[in-house]
Amino acid sequence: MKRSDPRLIAAIALAGLVMALWLVLMSAIVWSTLGASEREAVGQVLAGRIALVFVGWVLGLIAVAAVLRVLHQRYVGAPHRLLEEARVVLAARRPQQLKPRGTREMQALAVAVNELAAQRDRLRADMDAQVTQASERVQQEKDRLAALMAELHQSVVVCNHAGRILLYNQRARQAFRALSQGPQLAGGAELLGIGRSIYAALERQVLAHAFERIQQAVAKGDARPTAQFVTAVAGGQLLRVQVAAVRASQGVLGRSTEVTGFVLMLDNVTESVAEESARDQLLHGLTEGSRASLANIQAAVDMLGYPDIEPAMRERFLGVVREEVASMGKRVTDLAQRSAQRLKTRWPLEDMLGADFAAAAQRQLGARCGCPVTLDAIDPVLWLKVDSYTLLQALTYLGTRLVDEFEVRFLQLRLARAGAHAQLDLVWGGQAMSNETVMSWEMDAMRFGTERTPLSVRDVVERHGGEMWFERERVRHQALFRFLLPLASSQPAPGSLAAADLPSRPEFYDFDLFQSMEEGRELEDRPLAELAYTVFDTETTGLNPSGGDAIIQIGAARIVNGKLLRQETFDQLVNPGRSISAESIPIHGISQHMVEGQPGIGEVLPVFHAFAHDTVLVAHNAAFDMKFLQLQEEATGTVFRQPVLDTLLLSAVVHPHQESHRLEAIAERFNVAVLGRHTALGDALVTAEIWLRLIPLLAEQGIHTLRQAREAAQKTYYARLKY
């Protein structure tokens, strides 16, 4: 629905007034020329036909209004629409042209604007090529740094002096996922992200103290100032954090004393600290217990040295010696067993593509066993969570014993999904074996020629939390060892929208944030281009939030420093606790079985609130989405107090003469590709692209700050919409 132009209404009213005045004037002139008898006759004729005269005037006014409306659309509205579209072309960073329409003059003007835009685009392309060539070396350095960070096995986070994150690697992303209150929802994205505050995950006072120590060291001339501390985080886990300074460069003058940021290297030391504590307790117990036993043995030996000791007393002291020796032996045996147990668990389990593991096993078995090894029925998309080294040792050990003791001539590997586990089979043909033989192979320490490892096949299986057994396939005349192995907890989701849009090596850095000075300024008075945004959308069971409809999906993306961070998204289905109407399923494509087993809004909303923390919320027709969130405040205790911007209202601000402000219409106007329409994340990404294009257009109208944008939005006709 489009608001009528006040000027058109005023013109129609003026035309009606002129027609009424003209009718009155002509009636007065004619009346003045009539005699008394004629006036009486005319009065009698018109007395009963005044309503007909009024109807004639109304019909005439309608005809005039229709003509004025056509003229207004052709000569007033069309130029305004052309002006708005021309401003879009002017602000576009990609080549974009107007569609010639309207009068011949308007079409010619559109063609002229397109020619100017094409000339501008050619000049811009030449300039971009020169800039690209000039900055190529800098970009290569950034890419090398990003590649290096991606391959590091240590969690690394770089933040500016205000604690805003401007770089992190994949290992840090995994580490912060473990600290998340909803690891299966946002995956730690509510804690770690470009532009987020590091204080959301680490204690502010501890970090501030480390930063202060480093700044003091830099001021004293320390070339490599660092600080290190251990801090407790969510879930009682312990992080060891090493902090180093990032200093401003002074070019040829050398290093600056100005600290612009900090590098944090993080290690989760929870398990190692627990192991160290257990080891210390074990050694302490061994030491103290052995000291007491040695004292008792020494006392007994001293007494046994007397030649005149009675036989009963001698036997008593010999018993003391035997008991203390047995006690010391038990403590030493216990220590040896615990040490062996730690040996079993010192290698971490890592995610690995099953096909890659099978290929590695094929190569190693072929080299060690000297017989053909084939692969059969290997699931190409299966991801395992394994210690590949010890598992390959176990397969190789079993394979070599089969070849050496049973003269097996070929081996085969199979890998498939079996419920919540992976099923790995080592298959051979020929002679089978007894269960006693299988058990002895399973329990014996593994040997490879002259090499020996303290681990057994059973140790390796237990390390993986799996199972292993022997089977015969009598129909095929084959036998096999079957391993049940854990699957990787987070496998890449094929075809997911967010993953499809990511580059091959996602960038997790934005060095422009080194210049961020936002903390000292009020949010309302900060420029729109400097703010961080969470652009979100919801899918619901229906269109009546107050009538019981509920959220079934939330999708969101972040904008930081004027960039859409496609690698930092939120996409979660929600169990609404009620049925989804059949009419809405064709729109959003979410059926009842898709939300069964999904978390409820009480679990999802707090995580989304943390994801959107410290940002401005942006949505298309935000009043609708915010109504659903507000209705959950009492039940979930989650209140969204962030400022909210609506792309529907702000589109009406910059383009008041456009016919439609629907999401598809705005996307077409801005040449934004619409992918995943009526999915929460898809619509959020489209809305984010639209918002980035609206910011410069708002600036052209003098709307630069958050306060100005909110005030302008509330003055539009669409701000009257309520839900």
Side-chain angles (χ1 to χ4, degrees), residues 521-531 533 616 645 650 653-654 691 694-713:
R521 305 171 64 178
E522 290 295 334
L523 189 65
E524 289 282 346
D525 296 322
R526 283 176 50 202
L528 293 171
E530 294 182 4
L531 294 170
Y533 301 95
V616 177
L645 293 175
L650 293 171
V653 170
V654 299
W691 172 238
L694 282 173
I695 292 176
L697 296 178
L698 290 168
E700 289 182 7
Q701 298 192 11
I703 301 172
H704 300 281
T705 66
L706 176 62
R707 186 191 307 276
Q708 292 171 336
R710 297 179 70 186
E711 291 175 351

Side-chain angles (χ1 to χ4, degrees), residues 505-543:
R505 177 173 52 76
E507 60 172 28
F508 297 142
Y509 64 90
D510 189 346
F511 297 113
D512 293 335
L513 291 174
F514 268 128
Q515 312 302 324
S516 176
M517 300 295 291
E518 63 188 48
E519 277 64 33
R521 305 171 64 178
E522 290 295 334
L523 189 65
E524 289 282 346
D525 296 322
R526 283 176 50 202
L528 293 171
E530 294 182 4
L531 294 170
Y533 301 95
T534 297
V535 188
F536 77 103
D537 183 66
T538 62
E539 297 297 332
T540 61
T541 58
L543 302 178

Side-chain angles (χ1 to χ4, degrees), residues 9 46 49 100 250 312 324 331 362 402 463 573 642 697:
I9 297 175
L46 294 178
R49 295 174 175 83
Q250 288 185 334
E324 294 297 342
R331 282 193 290 269
Q362 182 186 29
L402 285 170
R463 174 70 185 93
L573 290 172
Q642 299 99 318
L697 296 178

Side-chain angles (χ1 to χ4, degrees), residues 56 180 376:
S180 171
D376 180 46

Side-chain angles (χ1 to χ4, degrees), residues 112 114 273 327 386 488 582 589:
N114 287 337
V273 169
S327 177
V386 294

Side-chain angles (χ1 to χ4, degrees), residues 149 152 154-159 167 172 176 198 202 206-207 209-211 213-214 222 224-231 238-246 261-269:
M149 297 292 292
L152 287 177
Q154 191 173 31
S155 301
V156 179
V157 179
V158 180
C159 57
L167 178 150
F176 277 80
I198 190 65
L202 302 180
V206 176
L207 272 178
H209 177 66
F211 293 167
R213 287 168 52 196
I214 289 177
D222 192 340
R224 294 182 178 179
T226 61
Q228 184 170 307
F229 60 89
V230 175
T231 182
L238 296 177
L239 285 184
R240 181 173 58 224
V241 184
Q242 185 174 355
V243 188
V246 178
F262 302 92
V263 180
L264 309 179
M265 290 164 284
L266 305 99
D267 289 307
N268 193 321
V269 296

Side-chain angles (χ1 to χ4, degrees), residues 92-111:
R93 294 300 303 169
R94 298 177 181 177
Q96 190 170 339
Q97 291 191 333
L98 300 175
K99 294 179 181 179
R101 54 192 172 192
T103 64
R104 285 183 297 177
E105 294 79 4
M106 294 290 294
Q107 294 180 14
L109 181 58
V111 170

Side-chain angles (χ1 to χ4, degrees), residues 289-496:
S290 298
R291 180 182 293 126
S293 295
L294 287 172
N296 292 334
I297 292 173
Q298 183 64 49
V301 169
D302 290 342
M303 294 300 296
L304 290 172
Y306 291 107
D308 56 347
I309 188 172
E310 297 179 0
M313 186 64 70
R314 178 183 297 275
E315 186 61 30
R316 178 182 175 185
F317 283 119
L318 286 175
V320 170
V321 171
R322 283 192 291 268
E323 289 178 4
E324 294 297 342
V325 168
S327 177
M328 290 182 63
K330 183 179 180 181
R331 282 193 290 269
V332 171
T333 301
D334 186 49
L335 176 62
Q337 290 176 347
R338 294 194 185 185
S339 298
Q341 182 65 27
R342 273 196 288 275
L343 180 63
K344 297 176 189 177
T345 60
R346 68 181 180 182
W347 291 290
L349 301 182
E350 296 184 342
D351 294 350
M352 185 175 187
L353 184 63
D356 291 344
F357 176 80
Q362 182 186 29
R363 290 191 299 270
Q364 183 158 319
L365 282 169
R368 289 292 188 98
C369 300
C371 68
V373 182
T374 60
L375 302 180
D376 180 46
I378 302 296
D379 191 332
V381 297
L382 197 65
W383 283 77
L384 308 174
K385 193 171 189 66
V386 294
D387 169 20
S388 59
Y389 176 72
T390 56
L391 189 56
L392 283 175
Q393 277 189 321
L395 289 174
T396 305
Y397 167 73
L398 294 174
T400 53
R401 295 203 68 167
L402 285 170
V403 172
D404 294 342
E405 300 180 24
F406 289 87
E407 298 181 352
V408 170
R409 297 182 179 181
F410 80 92
L411 296 171
Q412 186 181 78
L413 290 171
R414 297 195 300 238
L415 179 64
R417 181 187 292 271
H421 294 81
Q423 180 176 286
L424 175 65
D425 295 340
L426 176 62
V427 188
W428 70 92
Q431 184 178 356
M433 62 184 68
S434 66
N435 290 330
E436 291 76 9
T437 302
V438 173
M439 185 173 296
S440 67
W441 286 12
E442 185 179 352
M443 303 304 296
D444 291 345
M446 294 185 290
R447 295 176 180 270
F448 305 93
T450 59
E451 300 177 6
R452 181 182 183 279
T453 173
L455 297 177
S456 66
V457 174
R458 173 52 53 187
D459 292 335
V460 174
V461 172
E462 289 178 353
R463 174 70 185 93
H464 288 81
E467 295 290 340
M468 175 260 188
W469 63 87
F470 167 71
E471 283 189 13
R472 295 184 181 90
E473 294 184 347
R474 301 184 185 278
V475 177
R476 298 184 180 183
H477 302 288
Q478 292 179 340
L480 57 89
F481 289 120
R482 174 160 291 171
F483 294 82
L484 280 186
L485 302 172
L487 296 173
S489 58
S490 58
Q491 302 180 35
S496 65

